[in-house]
């Protein structure tokens, strides 16, 4: 008879644990936030030019070649603010009129957006632009400090998108261009194309590509050290409408596909089509139930041994705008290759009035295996190239290019998972720390113009810092990494920044708790510096603790000297205190006693305290300390001490007020002085308290439900009061003698109302006094009739 209550209690505990775990995983706060005014980055932009979304690093020329709207720039790779050359690439009036006549905007759509830049073997660059919805490609050279457009225009259909805002991807492999985009004006013919002496493309079937959104493409040299004599492969990442799920609405899923570099198409079946095209679902599962997350960007971390290469990918939720979250998952080339080479296929079956469903194929596979590259086993059978493949193998892959198995991430779950502004682009840098280990540091661009630097330490997500790169909140469209420099492009400009600025860490405690693989504290020099990769770098001279965040080796800092400030009666006084970390809790003490946030005399911000209407009682010593928690330890640091002293002078000049740190009364309404300068700062300062609000509300609601369930069980007799509090069982109105239960009908109604009130006000601080003794006469309220049967044991 106790099973309903026990089940509810167990469910209650599990729900709270899961909710807190999900909350802590998603609401990750960057340790430092660098605003636009303090980012110290190098910027390039030109008036009237927009959409800096294509980059090509020419290390041999010392250039960052930048493609924008109707312009290509050659920037100094060490200082992008220096533009060495520029070439314009505008559309003709005829093309613009033609584009406008098709219903496109003349100043937005009907321009030439440079969407592709690739280097060829002879140093010439191959560029493609949208050209007013008429894609065109040309060659660009750089010589004598000048960029030059060769004027050898080629048709760009299938290489470059028609729509300037449609995603596409491409790569140049041995002078062959692999591209993924659309073949027509409407964007209804998606294609993965190889432009070479033997041009190949995908088949126009929904089972091959179903309204895809292409994201990334790269080559993996799988022929190296391959005992099977395998071929190199080109991998493509994209999202598309799933054909294998039966829903009323379209369900978008993420995919990874591959083709063989040596593919030449089929002899009769799949002529000039890929014979090695296979695709599989890319899984990046999050803890809470949700629709599949959609891939947005990919970065390939290459390794000398290709089997250890890793693809990092950014995913975003496809739920409503009120539940915006992003994730980063990582996949090894080996795991992806395993799904394609040994996994099961999906196949179409017709059921119930010609409805088509996709199920796992359990029949016998043709030989050679469909979708496989030409290897030693195929060559031993006389099949030397894809043109020699039998029709049975080609027909199978034509109808069944989809794998049944999904590719799982390395860790089985995301490396990074967070709510807030969506992540857009990502790059990863392998950093060797002072302990000799290599750590992958993720630089992730956001939709509001920030770059976040994050590391996953054995499953623990740590966001080292976030830097605002652009003045306006605009998405980061492209990220590139070269020799410890990060290049970011958006609609309005390009930014260059170092991967780490160790000088931002002002103390040993700040440096170590940052847990930045690039930085360590140098004890002799008393500064936070870049970790050298040379062997002579002695680890004993460096203090760095990445996984544990252990700053106990840091030397004791000198005591903070008090700053004397003058108190003027009636004024509002502000005392500054800047914490080193967003994760630190700021505490203020006055005369050795803590100041509470609820005190109406003060307003405590993230970086200051405001004292209203100062009086003589406010004079004294104010101490600001920060407490930062790291891996089970609290690190307390004194940030500032103020000695507030009374001044008898009544007239104080504005200059003196500014010097003393006192808010001026002139030109500032008194009401304005009592308003927070930035409410967001106050909320941010309350992070350690406000983060429990959700949990407290949930606990309160569930506790009320438990209380109601308990009272219902008492009322129904499922459990007795004796079992709960050690008294005799409570007699219900059902078994009380008539002489003991002589309430009127109105009393019965009141009793029910009291019972309902008891359920509704459980765990309420406001209503709780009504269930204690009367404060006026020390007696119980007479209208709560049910208490008679609890306290009056003589009648029982």
């Amino acid at each position: 008879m106790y099973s309903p209550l026990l089940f509810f209690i167990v469910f209650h505990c599990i729900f709270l644990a899961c909710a807190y775990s999900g909350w802590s995983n998603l609401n990750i706060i960057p340790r430092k936030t660098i605003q636009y005014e303090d980012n110290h980055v190098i910027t390039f932009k030109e008036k009237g030019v927009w959409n800096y979304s294509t980059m090509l690093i020419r290390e041999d020329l010392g250039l960052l070649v930048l493609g924008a709207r109707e312009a290509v720039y050659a920037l100094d790779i060490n200082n992008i603010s220096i533009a060495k050359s520029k070439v314009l690439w505008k559309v003709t009036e005829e093309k613009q009129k033609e584009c406008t006549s098709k219903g496109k905007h003349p100043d937005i759509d009907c321009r030439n957006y440079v969407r592709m830049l690739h280097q060829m073997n002879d140093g010439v660059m191959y560029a493609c632009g949208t050209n007013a919805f008429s894609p065109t490609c040309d060659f660009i050279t750089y010589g004598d400090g000048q960029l030059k457009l060769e004027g050898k225009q080629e048709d760009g259909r299938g290489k470059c998108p028609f729509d300037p805002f449609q995603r596409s991807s491409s790569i140049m492999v041995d002078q062959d261009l692999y591209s993924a985009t659309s073949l027509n004006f409407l964007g209804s013919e998606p294609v993965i194309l190889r432009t070479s002496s033997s041009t190949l493309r995908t088949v126009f079937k929904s089972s091959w590509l179903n309204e895809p959104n292409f994201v990334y493409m790269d080559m993996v040299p799988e022929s190296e050290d391959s005992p099977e004599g395998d071929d190199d492969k080109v991998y493509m990442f994209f999202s598309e409408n799933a054909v294998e799920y039966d829903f009323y609405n379209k369900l978008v899923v993420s995919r990874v596909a591959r083709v063989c570099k040596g593919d030449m198409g089929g002899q009769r079946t799949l002529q000039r089509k890929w014979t090695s095209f296979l695709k599989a679902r890319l899984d990046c599962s999050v803890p809470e139930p949700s629709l599949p997350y959609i891939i947005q960007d990919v970065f390939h971390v290459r390794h000398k041994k290709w089997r250890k290469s890793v693809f990092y990918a950014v995913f975003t939720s496809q739920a409503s705008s009120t539940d915006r979250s992003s994730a980063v998952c990582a996949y090894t080339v080996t795991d992806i290759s395993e799904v394609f080479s040994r996994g099961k296929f999906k196949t179409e079956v017709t059921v119930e009035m010609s409805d088509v469903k996709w199920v796992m194929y359990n029949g016998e596979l043709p030989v050679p295996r469909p979708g496989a590259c030409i290897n030693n086993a195929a060559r031993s059978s006389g099949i030397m190239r894809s043109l020699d493949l039998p029709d049975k193998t080609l027909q199978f892959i034509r109808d069944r290019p989809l794998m049944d198995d999904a590719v799982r991430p390395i860790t089985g779950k995301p490396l990074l998972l967070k709510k807030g502004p969506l992540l857009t682009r990502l790059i990863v840098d392998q950093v060797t720390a002072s302990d000799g280990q290599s750590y992958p540091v993720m630089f992730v661009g956001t939709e509001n113009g920030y770059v976040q630097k994050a590391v996953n330490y054995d499953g623990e997500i740590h966001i080292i810092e976030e830097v605002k790169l652009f003045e306006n909140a605009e998405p980061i469209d492209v990220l590139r990494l070269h020799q410890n420099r990060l290049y970011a492009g958006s609609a309005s400009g390009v930014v260059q920044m170092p991967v780490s600025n160790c000088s931002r860490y002002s103390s040993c405690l700040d440096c170590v708790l940052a847990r930045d693989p690039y930085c360590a504290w140098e004890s002799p020099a008393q500064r936070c510096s870049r970790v050298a990769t040379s062997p002579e770098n002695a680890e004993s001279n460096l203090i760095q603790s990445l996984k544990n965040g252990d700053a106990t080796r840091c030397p004791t800092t000198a005591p903070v000297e008090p700053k004397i400030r003058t108190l003027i009666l009636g004024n509002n006084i502000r005392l500054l205190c800047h914490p080193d970390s967003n994760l630190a809790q700021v505490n203020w003490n006055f005369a050795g006693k803590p100041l509470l946030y609820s005190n109406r005399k003060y307003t405590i911000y993230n970086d200051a305290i405001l004292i209203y209407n100062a009086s003589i009682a406010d004079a004294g010593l104010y101490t600001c300390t920060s407490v930062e928690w790291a891996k089970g330890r609290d690190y307390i640091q004194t940030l500032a001490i103020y000695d507030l002293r009374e001044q008898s002078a009544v007239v104080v000049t504005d200059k003196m007020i500014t010097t003393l740190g006192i808010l001026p009364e002139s030109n500032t309404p008194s009401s304005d002085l009592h308003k927070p300068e930035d409410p967001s700062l106050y909320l941010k300062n309350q992070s350690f308290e406000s983060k429990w609000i959700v949990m407290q509300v949930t606990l309160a609601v569930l506790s009320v439900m438990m209380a109601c369930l308990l009272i219902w069980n008492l009322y129904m007799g499922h459990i007795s009061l004796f079992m709960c509090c050690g008294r005799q069982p409570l007699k219900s109105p059902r078994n009380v003698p008539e002489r003991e239960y002589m309430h009127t009908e109105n009393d019965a109604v009141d009793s029910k109302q009291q019972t309902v009130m008891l359920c509704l006000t459980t765990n309420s601080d406001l209503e709780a006094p009504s269930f204690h003794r009367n404060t006026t006469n020390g007696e119980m309220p007479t209208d709560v009739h049910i208490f008679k049967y609890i306290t009056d044991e003589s009648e029982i």
Side-chain angles (χ1 to χ4, degrees):
M1 63 180 174
Y2 305 108
S3 58
L5 184 60
L6 291 176
F7 172 79
F8 192 84
I9 294 174
V10 172
F11 175 78
H12 183 203
C13 297
I14 294 175
F15 177 82
L16 289 179
C18 294
Y20 176 72
S21 175
W23 188 95
S24 60
N25 286 336
L26 286 172
N27 293 271
I28 306 168
I29 301 174
R31 187 179 181 272
K32 276 188 184 292
T33 299
I34 312 300
Q35 297 299 337
Y36 174 76
E37 298 78 13
D38 305 319
N39 59 22
H40 302 298
V41 299
I42 301 173
T43 304
F44 172 82
K45 59 183 176 180
E46 186 170 314
K47 187 177 181 180
V49 180
W50 305 93
N51 296 86
Y52 304 86
S53 58
T54 308
M55 292 182 184
L56 173 64
I57 294 176
R58 290 295 303 269
E59 188 174 4
D60 56 331
L61 301 175
L63 297 177
L64 175 69
V65 183
L66 178 66
R69 191 178 75 172
E70 301 192 327
V72 179
Y73 298 90
L75 308 180
D76 188 332
I77 199 170
N78 298 315
N79 186 349
I80 64 169
S81 64
I82 302 174
K84 295 187 174 182
S85 182
K86 169 188 174 181
V87 60
L88 296 178
W89 192 4
K90 296 187 175 183
V91 297
T92 62
E93 291 184 8
E94 181 183 355
K95 285 290 183 184
Q96 194 168 29
K97 290 180 180 179
E98 181 182 343
C99 174
T100 305
S101 66
K102 295 179 180 178
K104 302 300 179 181
H105 195 285
D107 293 327
I108 298 178
D109 302 315
C110 301
R111 298 293 186 96
N112 187 27
Y113 293 77
V114 179
R115 295 294 307 275
M116 179 194 297
L117 281 171
H118 291 296
Q119 180 182 354
M120 307 186 73
N121 291 343
D122 55 1
V124 176
M125 290 170 281
Y126 191 67
C128 295
T130 58
N131 196 34
F133 271 76
S134 180
T136 304
C137 299
D138 206 338
F139 298 89
I140 298 178
T141 58
Y142 182 80
D144 299 327
Q146 295 294 322
L147 285 175
K148 182 181 179 182
L149 199 63
E150 293 294 305
K152 302 175 182 178
Q153 294 191 356
E154 298 180 352
D155 187 358
R157 287 181 298 176
K159 305 175 185 177
C160 178
F162 286 73
D163 189 335
F165 307 107
Q166 185 182 42
R167 293 293 301 272
S168 64
S169 60
S170 60
I171 184 177
M172 189 75 72
V173 179
D174 296 338
Q175 302 298 94
D176 292 341
L177 178 66
Y178 293 75
S179 57
T181 183
S182 178
L183 267 178
N184 64 345
F185 182 90
L186 298 175
S188 58
E189 294 182 358
V191 66
I192 296 175
L193 178 70
R194 184 181 71 194
T195 305
S196 64
S197 56
S198 56
T199 300
L200 297 181
R201 65 172 178 85
T202 46
V203 179
F204 293 135
K205 291 181 64 175
S206 60
S207 59
W208 281 55
L209 296 171
N210 190 17
E211 299 182 32
N213 189 22
F214 298 107
V215 168
Y216 182 82
M217 183 182 297
D218 206 356
M219 191 269 291
V220 177
E222 297 188 25
S223 62
E224 296 179 3
D225 301 324
S226 173
E228 299 86 8
D230 207 349
D231 192 9
D232 296 337
K233 299 179 181 67
V234 176
Y235 288 89
M236 291 80 68
F237 295 83
F238 58 96
S239 61
E240 67 171 352
N241 294 329
V243 296
E244 66 268 33
Y245 297 115
D246 186 15
F247 289 104
Y248 291 104
N249 296 323
K250 296 178 181 179
L251 179 66
V252 181
V253 296
S254 302
R255 303 282 198 205
V256 56
R258 69 140 209 225
V259 293
C260 300
K261 178 182 171 184
D263 198 337
M264 301 176 66
Q267 184 68 38
R268 291 174 297 276
T269 305
L270 293 179
Q271 290 184 8
R272 297 186 179 180
K273 308 294 191 301
W274 296 105
T275 65
S276 56
F277 177 80
L278 296 173
K279 66 178 183 178
R281 184 170 62 85
L282 207 58
D283 181 46
C284 185
S285 299
V286 296
E288 69 275 8
S290 66
L291 294 173
Y293 276 39
I294 305 306
I295 193 167
Q296 302 296 331
D297 194 33
V298 177
F299 185 80
H300 184 196
V301 178
R302 296 175 178 84
H303 195 276
K304 293 180 180 178
K305 297 180 179 179
W306 63 265
R307 291 178 179 84
K308 296 183 179 180
S309 297
V310 178
F311 288 105
Y312 287 80
V314 169
F315 296 80
T316 57
S317 60
Q318 58 176 317
S320 62
S321 58
T322 58
D323 186 21
R324 295 153 60 87
S325 55
S326 306
V328 175
C329 285
Y331 310 87
T332 64
V333 173
T334 304
D335 290 341
I336 298 175
S337 180
E338 187 75 12
V339 170
F340 289 133
S341 59
R342 292 182 173 83
K344 296 280 189 177
F345 290 85
K346 278 190 178 294
T347 186
E348 288 180 297
V349 294
T350 303
V351 293
E352 296 181 2
M353 299 180 64
S354 73
D355 287 341
V356 174
K357 293 185 180 296
W358 286 80
V359 298
M360 185 176 65
Y361 179 81
N362 290 314
E364 184 179 353
L365 292 178
V367 179
R369 179 183 170 91
C373 301
I374 304 301
N375 53 21
N376 293 337
R379 295 185 189 98
S380 64
S381 302
I383 301 174
M384 310 303 294
R385 53 183 184 169
S386 62
L387 293 170
D388 301 328
L389 289 171
D391 286 343
K392 192 174 182 180
T393 295
L394 298 178
Q395 290 168 358
F396 185 98
I397 203 63
R398 180 192 60 191
D399 300 329
R400 305 174 184 87
L402 178 62
M403 307 305 298
D404 183 68
D405 298 329
V407 181
R408 311 291 179 184
I410 298 174
T411 56
K413 59 182 180 180
L415 297 172
L416 174 65
L417 180 63
K418 69 185 299 294
K419 283 187 176 180
L422 296 180
L423 307 180
T424 58
R425 299 292 183 270
L426 146 134
I427 58 173
V428 181
D429 189 19
Q430 290 288 345
V431 185
T432 302
S434 61
D435 58 4
Q437 295 187 32
S438 179
Y439 297 91
V441 180
M442 297 176 285
F443 294 88
V444 192
T446 68
E447 64 178 352
N448 60 344
Y450 282 84
V451 163
Q452 296 184 347
K453 181 165 64 173
V455 188
N456 188 296
Y457 292 124
D458 296 335
E460 178 201 0
I461 303 168
H462 177 61
I463 302 180
I464 301 168
E465 65 181 8
E466 61 176 359
V467 183
K468 187 175 183 181
L469 299 184
F470 301 97
E471 186 174 5
N472 299 322
E474 54 186 311
I476 292 179
D477 295 326
V478 58
L479 279 178
R480 292 290 185 270
L481 179 68
H482 177 68
Q483 292 184 351
N484 296 322
R485 297 187 189 95
L486 188 68
Y487 305 93
S490 71
S492 66
V494 184
V495 165
Q496 171 189 331
M497 62 171 283
V499 291
S500 186
N501 187 352
C502 300
S503 62
R504 289 196 180 114
Y505 308 124
S506 57
S507 64
C508 177
L509 186 65
D510 190 21
C511 183
V512 176
L513 293 184
R515 301 166 70 187
D516 189 336
Y518 295 97
C519 303
W521 184 261
E522 286 187 86
S523 296
Q526 292 295 299
R527 66 182 180 185
C528 194
S529 304
R530 281 291 302 269
V531 175
T533 57
S534 56
E536 60 270 14
N537 180 31
E539 184 181 348
S540 58
N541 294 329
L542 299 176
I543 301 177
Q544 187 186 60
S545 179
L546 302 180
K547 295 182 179 180
N548 299 322
D550 185 3
T552 55
R553 290 177 56 194
C554 286
T556 305
T557 57
V560 178
E561 294 293 331
K563 299 177 182 179
I564 299 175
R565 293 290 183 267
T566 303
L567 182 150
I568 299 178
L569 298 179
N571 269 19
N572 298 324
I573 302 174
R574 185 178 65 171
L575 303 177
L576 299 178
C577 179
H578 297 281
D580 293 331
S581 167
N582 295 332
L583 305 179
Q585 171 69 42
V586 176
N587 298 319
W588 283 88
N589 286 352
F590 172 55
K593 296 181 179 180
L595 294 178
L596 303 178
Y597 290 96
S598 59
N599 194 325
R600 296 183 179 180
K601 178 68 176 178
Y602 312 96
T603 295
I604 301 177
Y605 298 101
N606 188 57
D607 61 349
I609 184 174
L610 185 61
I611 306 171
Y612 298 111
N613 193 20
S615 62
I616 298 177
D618 295 322
L621 210 61
Y622 291 81
T623 304
C624 175
T625 60
S626 68
V627 181
E628 185 169 358
W629 183 87
K631 303 296 287 186
R633 294 187 181 91
D634 286 336
Y635 293 95
I636 303 175
Q637 184 179 11
T638 301
L639 302 178
I641 301 176
Y642 292 95
D643 188 359
L644 198 59
R645 300 180 181 179
E646 180 188 1
Q647 177 177 313
S648 58
V650 179
V651 180
V652 182
T653 65
D654 291 342
K655 183 175 181 181
M656 292 177 60
I657 291 175
T658 304
T659 305
L660 295 174
I662 306 171
L663 294 178
E665 292 183 332
S666 60
N667 300 325
T668 307
S670 176
S671 60
D672 290 345
L673 290 174
H674 288 73
K675 294 178 182 179
E677 294 176 344
D678 187 355
S680 63
L681 295 177
Y682 179 72
L683 294 174
K684 193 173 184 180
N685 191 50
Q686 302 288 335
S687 60
F688 278 83
E689 291 146 359
S690 64
K691 71 179 183 180
W692 296 103
I693 290 177
V694 175
M695 300 305 302
Q696 289 173 347
V697 171
T698 304
L699 180 62
V701 172
L702 292 177
S703 298
V704 169
M705 295 173 64
M706 288 183 63
C708 293
L709 181 62
L710 179 60
I711 292 172
W712 180 80
N713 277 276
L714 286 171
Y715 179 77
M716 298 298 297
H718 293 163
I719 58 176
S720 65
L721 190 64
F722 176 77
M723 299 296 295
C724 296
C725 55
R727 296 181 179 231
Q728 295 182 7
L730 173 65
K731 296 182 180 180
S732 69
R734 298 182 181 182
N735 54 23
V736 175
E738 185 177 355
R739 64 181 178 84
E740 294 184 12
Y741 191 73
M742 299 180 62
H743 301 300
T744 64
E745 183 179 355
N746 293 334
D747 290 338
V749 173
D750 291 341
S751 178
K752 293 180 180 179
Q753 292 177 348
Q754 293 293 340
T755 305
V756 174
M757 181 180 179
L758 179 63
C759 294
L760 292 177
T761 56
T762 304
N763 279 353
S764 173
D765 295 334
L766 295 177
E767 296 294 330
S770 64
F771 296 98
H772 294 287
R773 292 187 177 273
N774 193 302
T775 56
T776 58
N777 53 19
E779 298 178 357
M780 294 295 295
T782 58
D783 57 337
V784 185
H785 305 294
I786 194 170
F787 284 167
K788 175 179 179 181
Y789 303 104
I790 299 175
T791 58
D792 192 358
E793 296 181 355
S794 62
E795 294 186 18
I796 302 175

